[in-house]
Amino acid sequence: MNKTYTEISGWIIERIAHHAELESEKVTLDAEIVNFRLDSLLMVNITSELEEWLGMELSPSIFWEMGTIAATTEWILENQEA
C-alpha cells in the first residue's frame, strides 16, 4: 500500500531528527539535508531503512540528489508503484 506525503515526510523527519539529536520540530521540510551534518554512512543507513519501510528501491544518494525532505518525499510519491 502506498504511503502518503505526510507519512513519508514524517518518517524522514523522525529519522533525521533522531540521528541529528534534534527535536523533530527543528527539522523542516524545506531545510537542506546537508545542514543536519549527518555523515554519508548514516544517510545510507537511513535510506536502507526507508527502502524497507516503503517496500521500494531507492538510490543510496537520494537525499543528496533531492536536497530537501520535501523534494525527496515528492520523488518517492511520483515513483511509488501504483
Side-chain angles (χ1 to χ4, degrees), residues 33-70:
I33 292 172
V34 295
N35 292 341
F36 297 111
R37 301 188 184 280
L38 299 173
D39 68 42
S40 58
L41 181 59
L42 185 54
M43 291 307 297
V44 169
N45 288 341
I46 292 172
T47 303
S48 294
E49 292 173 13
L50 181 58
E51 282 183 321
E52 189 173 316
W53 183 70
L54 292 169
M56 68 184 284
E57 268 189 60
L58 301 171
S59 164
S61 59
I62 188 169
F63 289 109
W64 290 278
E65 293 168 15
M66 298 297 113
T68 66
I69 294 170

